[in-house]
Structure formats: C-alpha cells, structure tokens
Amino acid sequence: MAPMTAAGEEMHALVERLYPLCRSITGDGVRATLEIVGEYVPLQVHEVPTGTQVLDWTVPQEWNIRDAYIADTAGNRVVDFAASSLHVLGYSVPVSATMPLAELRAHLHTLPDHPAWVPYRTSYYKPEWGFCLAQETLDSMPDGEYEVRIDSTLADGHLTYAEHVVPGQVTDEVIVSCHVCHPSLANDNLAGIAVATFLARALAQETPYYTYRFIYAPGTIGAITWLARNAERMERVKHGLVLACAGDPGQLTYKQSRRGDAEIDRVMRHVLAASERPHHVTEFTPYGYDERQYCSPGFDLGVGSLSRTPYAGYPEYHTSADNPDFVSPEAMADTLAVCREAFAVLDRNRQYVNLSPYGEPQLGRRGLYDSLGGRSNAKQAQMAMLWVLSLSDGEHSLLDVAERSGLPFDTVAAAAGALHGAGLIKG
C-alpha cells in the first residue's frame, strides 16, 4: 500500500473513532478528543478557567451532558442522545418535564428539505434547551404527552485546547489550526483534525526549517483564547493555515489571508496550479473558520484556510449526513499531500544574493554543468541556475524565480542548492 493511501486509511479510522464523541466549545468531549489525538502526537493541553477575559470575550461556563431523550407515554425513546450527539441542542440547560407535543415543538429543530437528516444546532451564549431530530421522526410523533429529559450541567470549569510543536531550524513559526468543538460531524471538522495530526507526524520525520505549531482549539472562542494567551509570540508567527472540511469529495479550495499577498497565499496558489489539481482560490472574507481571528486587523497574520468544499457549500453541512461515509481516505490523503507540498515550498523559499553578479559566472569549470555554448535546448536544471543567478539580488525569492521562469519550484530549489554549494550565492 502506497504511503499516502495508508495514511488516508489511518486518517479515516481516526475520524470513525472520534465521531461518536459529544464535543462542544468546552467539556469532557473535547478532553476525550484530545486524549485520542494525543495517542498520535504528543499534546500540551491547556485549561483556561471560566470567567477568564480573552480579548473582548470571556471564557464561558463548561458544559457537560450525560444523557438526554424524548420518550412517549410507553417509555419508548423517540429521540435518544445515546444514538447521536447531534440530537441535543449544544449547550442545552438541564430539563426534566412532561409536556404535550404542541408545547414541545418550540424546542425541536428539523430539516424539512431533508426529512431523514438530523440538523446540528447550538445555543452557546443564551440559556436554551432543545432537541434536533429528523423531520420524518417528528411527523411520526402523535399528539400527546412526552417525557423530556436533558441531564446536563452548565457550571464554572474550563475551556480546553491543545498544542503540538514540531521544532524547526529557526524559531519563526508556522501555525496550523483546526477546530475541535463540533460533535458528530465527520467533514466539519474531524477530517481537519485527522489531516492536521498526520501532517504533524510527517513533519516530525523531517528537519523542517520553520517551527510548526499545531493548535487544536474550539472554534472562535478557542482561537481567541489562544491569541489572547500568546500575544507576545505573534512576531514569531510568519505563516499559518486553518484546516477544515478536509475530507469531502469536492475540489480543493484555498481561501486567502486578509492580506491576500501573504507568502502562504502565494505558495498555495503556486502549488495548487503547478499540481494541476482541480481547485478554487477565493478571496478573504471575515466569515468562516478561525482564519478570521488570526487575520483580524490587530494581529493581521498571514493565515489562509484550506478545505475541500467550503463551509455551508454542501447539503450535508451541519447535519447527520456529514458522517464517516461522507469523507474518504482518498480525499483526506489528497488534502494531506497538498499541505506537505505547500510546506515543502514554504520551508525552502529563500532570498539569495549573487556573489558573482558581474556577467555570467563560468559554471562549467565549477562542475555544475557542461558549457551551454550556443545550445538552444538547455535542460531545465541549466536554465534554473541561470534564472537563480539572475534574480539573486536579495529582493527576489525562489518562488519569484519559479513563477517568473515557469520552472518547477523543486528544480529552482535544487539549482539554488547547487549554486550555494559552489559558493556562487549566499542566503
């Protein structure tokens, strides 16, 4: 089995393992998720107490749930949290009551256009309770009394997030962020968690130039908490990528940073175009995943977002149809491959200075290649050397060389390595 195929199968197995857990922006479901991820890569887990001020937000109370159901008069559970964590409105306050269906309906959420699917709904910052169910289940419920039970707690506790760091040759950082707050939703965002985890494992087998910091945090409030607690290290963060919706069958989509011309934006555009994969590149908008926190104007980090079909762009989004069957090992392996290709470019993208800038240096006597003479069909490697020498003025990067010459980045980087080894350029 090819390495990427094997990784795809392992990532899918991780998605299946994490799928049943009830995650939210706080609580034991997040801890259980991070404990499993910690079996793959070592994690530093952070617990931030309720009431902590984080930028303009406050860490909320912690929510945990043990059981929930709607039962008919015969005691049959018509809706059962044990069957799917989606069945309860996220952050529901506890309730224990008996009420008629007419009263209960105000607390029920369905998808009439997809009657067999269960929606995902939350009420994080407003005390509410509710259930999510298939429209066909609701249609089958006769009028009458129902027992309603949500065994949950909303109390002072902690917000939990985790980090994994792959040390690099320099302390400048690339952050890779994924959200861990969604319950049983495979693409959004268990696939992102899986790809991030296997990307971290792959980088650990190499000696990367940059230090790579992987952030596993609840959406919005988690990223805001990380930013609030790491403001002093922002100067180290040179690039970043948010991973979400990484396993569906759609084309890859890269959403650019707020800057639009950050190095990660250029690298992702180049890698996707050079790979000839079907893909989309979209402009930044201040809505979506946590790229909007990292790119907020006070921080203005060069952080883009990589997904396949973007959020809300597929019917299964935020429904029970976003299950492990919706994501594939092949799609996750492809997303992982693009990340590795992009970071391989990012890690080698340097600016050089030509140490023999007056005229073309004689490359043949240095053993770099046979004299070009008057040949018109010079090999790519030879042309790459000439391009690197021409643009090594301390202002152009190797990515600039690749884009301007139309040569593959790998060929350009190899040429730079040869020229550096021969003492003709310096970094």
Side-chain angles (χ1 to χ4, degrees):
M1 185 180 291
M4 277 299 173
T5 303
E9 296 290 348
E10 290 183 73
M11 286 187 286
H12 197 269
L14 176 57
V15 168
E16 289 183 313
R17 187 176 174 194
L18 294 173
Y19 184 75
L21 298 177
C22 182
R23 282 163 291 273
S24 189
I25 55 173
T26 62
D28 291 335
V30 174
R31 296 187 185 96
T33 297
L34 296 176
E35 184 175 346
I36 291 171
V37 172
E39 297 175 16
Y40 292 78
V41 292
L43 294 179
Q44 182 180 9
V45 178
H46 305 269
E47 298 279 2
V48 184
T50 296
T52 302
Q53 189 71 26
V54 285
L55 306 181
D56 194 47
W57 296 59
T58 304
V59 173
Q61 289 188 311
E62 181 177 325
W63 183 69
N64 285 293
I65 183 167
R66 286 157 293 279
D67 192 18
Y69 60 85
I70 301 172
D72 61 22
T73 53
N76 300 310
R77 294 192 175 193
V78 181
V79 178
D80 191 354
F81 169 76
S84 171
S85 60
L86 294 178
H87 276 310
V88 172
L89 177 77
Y91 255 63
S92 279
V93 298
V95 61
S96 181
T98 299
M99 63 185 67
L101 180 60
E103 181 181 346
L104 179 57
R105 281 182 181 274
H107 298 276
L108 302 181
H109 305 272
T110 65
L111 294 167
D113 291 343
H114 296 281
W117 297 356
V118 177
Y120 164 55
R121 299 288 184 269
T122 64
S123 183
Y124 294 141
Y125 301 106
K126 181 181 178 183
E128 294 280 2
W129 65 268
F131 288 86
C132 299
L133 65 158
Q135 180 66 44
E136 60 188 24
T137 300
L138 177 57
D139 292 342
S140 70
M141 294 170 62
D143 289 334
E145 298 288 308
Y146 288 88
E147 180 189 359
V148 179
R149 170 79 167 159
I150 298 178
D151 181 12
S152 64
T153 54
L154 196 58
D156 287 354
H158 297 82
L159 178 145
T160 310
Y161 72 91
E163 296 175 286
H164 170 76
V165 176
V166 179
Q169 299 170 39
V170 298
T171 57
D172 287 346
E173 291 187 356
V174 179
I175 60 172
V176 180
S177 181
C178 57
H179 60 277
V180 297
C181 52
H182 285 17
S184 297
L185 299 173
N187 198 42
D188 182 21
N189 189 35
L190 296 179
I193 294 170
V195 170
T197 301
F198 278 74
L199 178 59
R201 290 179 67 176
L203 288 169
Q205 302 302 311
E206 304 167 1
T207 307
Y209 177 73
Y210 289 108
T211 292
Y212 286 82
R213 183 176 299 274
F214 289 78
I215 303 167
Y216 298 84
T220 305
I221 185 65
I224 286 172
T225 299
W226 184 86
L227 286 164
R229 288 163 57 89
N230 290 274
E232 76 287 348
R233 70 163 60 244
M234 287 303 110
E235 287 187 0
R236 291 189 195 174
V237 178
K238 303 303 180 184
H239 320 283
L241 191 63
V242 170
L243 288 172
C245 301
D248 69 80
Q251 296 181 6
L252 282 160
T253 299
Y254 176 69
K255 176 183 173 181
Q256 299 184 119
S257 72
R258 175 178 174 270
R259 300 180 194 172
D261 61 351
E263 190 171 344
I264 188 68
D265 300 327
R266 295 186 59 209
V267 167
M268 289 302 305
R269 291 196 300 260
H270 176 79
V271 166
L272 287 169
S275 73
E276 298 186 347
R277 289 177 174 89
H279 68 277
H280 302 285
V281 175
T282 63
E283 297 294 326
F284 175 80
T285 62
Y287 185 76
Y289 292 115
D290 285 325
E291 67 279 354
R292 68 191 197 274
Q293 310 307 333
Y294 301 118
C295 292
S296 56
F299 295 107
D300 195 25
L301 299 176
V303 177
S305 177
L306 182 66
S307 61
R308 300 195 73 85
T309 307
Y311 59 89
Y314 51 98
E316 297 84 357
Y317 178 77
H318 279 193
T319 77
S320 57
D322 183 358
N323 58 47
D325 291 336
F326 180 61
V327 298
S328 72
E330 295 77 14
M332 285 187 282
D334 186 49
T335 306
L336 175 61
V338 167
C339 291
R340 295 192 66 180
E341 291 166 23
F343 288 167
V345 172
L346 197 64
D347 254 18
R348 294 176 293 165
N349 191 31
R350 306 275 187 283
Q351 291 181 343
Y352 290 93
V353 174
N354 188 337
L355 297 178
S356 182
Y358 299 101
E360 180 183 303
Q362 190 174 4
L363 303 180
R365 70 177 172 84
R366 292 176 170 86
L368 292 174
Y369 66 79
D370 295 332
S371 176
L372 283 173
R375 294 170 58 191
S376 60
N377 60 337
K379 295 178 181 179
Q380 273 194 343
Q382 298 168 340
M383 287 303 300
M385 288 185 192
L386 297 179
W387 272 109
V388 170
L389 287 168
S390 178
L391 294 180
S392 289
D393 53 8
E395 296 181 2
H396 291 85
S397 68
L398 295 185
L399 183 57
D400 291 323
V401 176
E403 290 179 341
R404 185 164 173 180
S405 69
L407 294 167
F409 183 89
D410 285 349
T411 303
V412 170
L419 292 168
H420 188 270
L424 286 172
I425 60 174
K426 70 175 182 179

